[in-house]
Amino acid sequence: MRIEDVLNNPEAEKELLDRNGKKKERVTPEQHRQYVQDRLIEACGKLDLESIERQYQRAVSAVKELTVVPQAQDISDFCARNVALRPRILGIFASALVNAVRELEEPITLEIVKGVSLDYFGYRLNRKVTVKGSLGDNTAYMMEDGKLVVEGDCKGVVGPFMRGGTINVRGTIRDVGAVRHGGTITSSRNLQDYYKFSNTHDLLRVIVEANVFQDVAAAIRQGGTIPLESEMKRALHPQLVTLACNNNLQIYERERSSYRSGLADFERQYNELLRQWNTIYPKYQKAKKDAIGTGAINGAMLLTPFAPFTLFFGMITLFTGLDSISLKAKIREIEPKIKSLENSMGQYRDKVNFYDSKISEVREFMRAH
């Protein structure tokens, strides 16, 4: 709202009369600025610390009900004047002003003085804005379109849940956002991690807040492996992707270790049975051969004068036969056990190979990231 607009505004004239006791022939620049600031304070006063989206919608409604049309300098002055406001309220309200006051010419230039902290500035941003100064946390939260240039630093996360547009920070960025669905973020300095993601609970918190990757959330809650989707690489913070991969590696390596241990036990049993087989089978073959040979000799002796010796050799045949039968029984007991162990070892080897393959897939996914 320009000064001449204030002169023709009945509400403004009445307020100035109430303040000064008489009608002013000319509204001074200071009176004009004060009037605009009062209106902005009145609108901002309708906000409280409810959910971010609800707070933003209330801010937009309050801005649309304004009886003034603030300029970019008015918004800058408002931010500087109200440093006592909570950074989130100040940032959300400034975002609503930028998005809802369509009379503002783009690019909109805001001068944010040192000491002012604006969190969530650029919430649902869809216009071209240049900020001369620094911003707080959650800059350009859910940015939709347009371009945001920050000539200072961003003290917290930048571009979380961003859907489109471009962010260019010419100072420092501490984090590029846990989840981003589109758009680009560039900085003239090295990026540093702000959040220290340390476990899958951090990953669960992020995807629940973003309402994305519901299958991943379900897998985390159930304590199982996490589906590794290519979309995760673009949308999630790299450290979160690494957490998901490490979660799967731990599960696969634990399962593989279990099957390897089982396979080693089977191999020990198999080798022991094989040792017994290699010991017993030659004895069985020899006992069987001896029994057949002794039986043939006894049969021949029945036809000779040496028949009295038949009894002696018959006893030998009996014992040899019994030894052969005993050894054969042991062989019959060992054989199915060996076959069963061979089958079990085959199954366990398949499981070990399966987990080897899954571990390779995860590591390849991480390398490609």
Side-chain angles (χ1 to χ4, degrees):
M1 174 178 280
R2 299 166 300 173
I3 292 179
E4 52 268 34
D5 295 328
V6 175
L7 285 172
N8 298 319
N9 187 305
E11 182 180 337
E13 283 188 340
K14 182 178 184 305
E15 182 166 329
L16 290 172
L17 281 172
D18 292 341
R19 288 182 181 179
N20 301 294
K22 61 180 180 178
K23 183 175 181 180
K24 291 287 184 181
E25 294 295 331
R26 181 172 179 273
V27 177
T28 66
E30 179 57 33
Q31 288 172 332
H32 166 253
R33 284 195 296 271
Q34 183 62 50
Y35 180 76
V36 174
Q37 292 300 309
D38 289 347
R39 298 287 76 75
L40 295 180
I41 292 172
E42 182 182 294
C44 188
K46 297 179 180 180
L47 276 64
D48 54 34
L49 284 176
E50 50 192 344
S51 70
I52 299 169
E53 177 62 20
R54 187 180 175 95
Q55 189 179 58
Y56 174 74
Q57 293 302 333
R58 285 170 66 89
V60 170
S61 297
V63 169
K64 290 180 177 178
E65 293 171 1
L66 284 170
T67 58
V68 298
V69 181
Q71 302 301 306
Q73 188 59 51
D74 296 321
I75 300 174
S76 297
D77 292 344
F78 174 77
C79 292
R81 178 184 176 186
N82 289 283
V83 292
L85 284 176
R86 291 178 182 265
R88 190 175 103 177
I89 287 181
L90 191 57
I92 289 291
F93 187 70
S95 301
L97 285 169
V98 167
N99 286 333
V101 181
R102 305 312 295 183
E103 290 85 352
L104 292 171
E105 294 184 5
E106 298 182 34
I108 304 164
T109 301
L110 302 181
E111 298 178 5
I112 307 301
V113 299
K114 188 175 181 179
V116 174
S117 182
L118 270 72
D119 291 349
Y120 290 92
F121 178 78
Y123 185 86
R124 291 194 176 278
L125 185 67
N126 53 35
R127 305 185 72 181
K128 295 179 181 178
V129 180
T130 296
V131 174
K132 294 183 177 181
S134 297
L135 295 173
D137 198 9
N138 286 296
T139 295
Y141 194 102
M142 294 181 69
M143 181 174 179
E144 297 175 355
D145 199 1
K147 181 178 182 180
L148 174 62
V149 176
V150 182
E151 296 186 354
D153 304 328
C154 289
K155 298 177 181 178
V157 61
V158 174
F161 312 135
M162 183 179 177
R163 299 186 180 280
T166 300
I167 302 174
N168 185 334
V169 182
R170 295 174 182 172
T172 59
I173 294 180
R174 298 184 66 181
D175 185 51
V176 294
V179 177
R180 191 164 77 249
H181 301 287
T184 57
I185 301 176
T186 59
S187 174
S188 60
R189 304 188 189 179
N190 293 332
L191 303 180
Q192 302 174 12
D193 286 335
Y194 179 67
Y195 290 119
K196 300 300 179 185
F197 303 114
S198 61
N199 52 53
T200 52
H201 294 294
D202 293 330
L203 175 58
L204 178 62
R205 171 181 55 80
V206 167
I207 62 179
V208 167
E209 288 177 359
N211 194 29
V212 294
F213 303 119
Q214 297 305 309
D215 53 341
V216 172
I220 294 173
R221 290 191 180 102
Q222 294 167 10
T225 56
I226 297 172
L228 299 178
E229 308 170 14
S230 58
E231 177 69 10
M232 291 170 63
K233 294 183 180 180
R234 188 180 65 83
L236 290 178
H237 188 287
Q239 201 167 341
L240 292 176
V241 177
T242 300
L243 276 175
C245 292
N246 286 336
N247 173 80
N248 288 4
L249 285 176
Q250 289 175 5
I251 293 175
Y252 291 145
E253 288 172 352
R254 184 173 64 245
E255 292 296 319
R256 183 179 66 177
S257 177
S258 174
Y259 281 107
R260 278 180 171 175
S261 177
L263 177 60
D265 288 340
F266 287 144
E267 286 176 339
R268 281 193 292 271
Q269 296 176 47
Y270 178 80
N271 290 331
E272 175 59 25
L273 288 176
L274 201 60
R275 184 190 64 78
Q276 294 179 28
W277 169 274
N278 291 332
T279 300
I280 295 171
Y281 191 74
K283 292 181 179 179
Y284 165 69
Q285 290 290 83
K286 184 176 182 305
K288 182 180 177 182
K289 182 179 179 181
D290 289 346
I292 293 173
T294 305
I297 292 172
N298 287 340
M301 289 181 66
L302 289 173
L303 303 175
T304 67
F306 302 100
F309 291 99
T310 302
L311 179 61
F312 173 73
F313 285 104
M315 294 297 294
I316 294 175
T317 302
L318 175 62
F319 287 119
T320 304
L322 290 174
D323 191 30
S324 173
I325 293 171
S326 174
L327 292 171
K328 186 174 183 180
K330 289 183 179 180
I331 289 174
R332 285 180 175 177
E333 180 183 351
I334 291 173
E335 277 183 337
K337 291 181 179 179
I338 289 177
K339 289 181 180 179
S340 175
L341 285 170
E342 286 175 342
N343 182 55
S344 297
M345 287 190 298
Q347 293 178 359
Y348 272 55
R349 286 194 185 99
D350 289 343
K351 286 292 186 180
V352 170
N353 292 335
F354 169 78
Y355 286 113
D356 283 341
S357 175
K358 299 303 289 184
I359 289 171
S360 297
E361 288 177 10
V362 174
R363 287 178 175 160
E364 180 60 33
F365 188 87
M366 293 176 75
R367 282 193 293 271
H369 179 69

